[in-house]
Amino acid sequence: MQDSFRYKGMRKRLINELREKGIHDEKVLAAFDAVPRHFFLDSSFVEQAYSNMPFQIGSGQTISHPYTVAFQTQLLELKRGEKVLEIGTGSGFQTCILAKLGVKVFSIERHRELHLKAKTILQKLKLNARLSFGDGFKGLPNFAPFDKVIITCGAPFVPVELVQQLKIGGVMIIPVGEGAEQQMQKITKISETETTMEELGVFSFVPMLEKKVK
Ligand code: SAH
């Protein structure tokens, strides 16, 4: 897979669309300019890679809408050097956007095939992230605490372990809901025992599944 001026032009159009939809963080938009989304898609979808659409990525999973990735990333308000935990590596596209923003990314995926594919693509793009194969509900206690946590699958509830692995003052962006739709929540950990929660709109993700590592 190669990048080209044509794909770069298509990326600029997508970035304008994201801007019109309310993505104003220039660093997030620059990351979208730097990560070629068509690398993450099956060859039959490549021509539509820069439309605001989700696509099948194998193992019954999907790469999220570009707008959803941009919206969640913007909500994280990342600063260079922060430690970020992502649940649901999937294609690795969101992982690469985070890595481009200069944070230390840790990402967990429960499908071995997707985990291995994402590893290859990160190497190809020369981006650094620590990719783990396992159950995201458990997080990564050995690498905690994290400044930020982002969940990219629909969680049936807010996993306690993941809140525990957040620093005080840290933020988690998590779509919560058991059906086809979830409410995007921004959870801020204000003390060892207290959090605040803000609801930020309805989205649709594949489910976050427990104890089903494949
Ligand atoms: N961030 C991804 C989105 C992929 S879809 C991207 O940009 O492509 C969500 C992913 O979450 C799927 O790959 C799914 O297998 C994974 N997932 C679901 N439940 C999980 C769990 N408990 N632990 C880790 N990953 C999980």
Side-chain angles (χ1 to χ4, degrees), residues 131-155:
L131 303 187
S132 302
F133 166 62
D135 181 5
F137 277 91
K138 300 193 178 81
L140 292 173
N142 294 342
F143 296 95
F146 298 96
D147 296 283
K148 310 279 163 69
V149 175
I150 171 172
I151 319 289
T152 69
C153 34

Side-chain angles (χ1 to χ4, degrees), residues 90-184:
S91 68
F93 178 70
Q94 169 79 74
T95 318
C96 288
I97 293 287
L98 295 171
K100 271 282 169 200
L101 286 161
V103 296
K104 296 189 195 94
V105 192
F106 298 76
S107 185
I108 313 178
E109 171 56 53
R110 64 178 274 274
H111 273 287
R112 191 183 289 278
E113 210 178 300
L114 293 174
H115 160 72
L116 294 174
K117 219 164 147 188
K119 259 193 168 167
T120 310
I121 199 161
L122 262 89
Q123 272 161 10
K124 191 168 170 196
L125 292 172
K126 298 189 172 60
L127 288 171
N128 249 325
R130 193 182 186 289
L131 303 187
S132 302
F133 166 62
D135 181 5
F137 277 91
K138 300 193 178 81
L140 292 173
N142 294 342
F143 296 95
F146 298 96
D147 296 283
K148 310 279 163 69
V149 175
I150 171 172
I151 319 289
T152 69
C153 34
F157 51 86
V158 178
V160 179
E161 281 95 332
L162 299 184
V163 177
Q164 278 165 355
Q165 291 174 32
L166 203 53
K167 278 185 192 169
I168 292 171
V171 166
M172 179 188 299
I173 305 297
I174 177 169
V176 183
E178 291 209 73
E181 293 186 330
Q182 302 85 30
Q183 183 62 245
M184 191 69 79

Side-chain angles (χ1 to χ4, degrees), residues 193-205:
T193 52
E194 291 161 291
T195 55
T196 58
M197 192 270 279
E198 207 182 322
E199 290 193 331
L200 295 151
V202 173
F203 289 79
S204 183
F205 286 83

Side-chain angles (χ1 to χ4, degrees), residues 10-11 13-19 21 23 28-29 32 35 37-38 41 48-55 62-74 93-94 97 203 205:
M10 286 157 82
R11 282 212 283 287
R13 282 202 293 279
L14 171 64
I15 288 165
N16 284 336
E17 195 181 330
L18 294 175
R19 221 183 239 119
K21 287 186 189 296
I23 306 300
V28 173
L29 294 168
F32 268 79
V35 181
R37 189 172 185 251
H38 64 282
L41 300 180
Q48 294 138 284
Y50 298 101
S51 55
N52 187 28
M53 280 163 64
F55 292 100
T62 53
I63 179 171
S64 304
H65 285 78
Y67 173 73
T68 306
V69 175
F71 184 73
Q72 286 193 284
T73 310
Q74 178 166 276
F93 178 70
Q94 169 79 74
I97 293 287
F203 289 79
F205 286 83

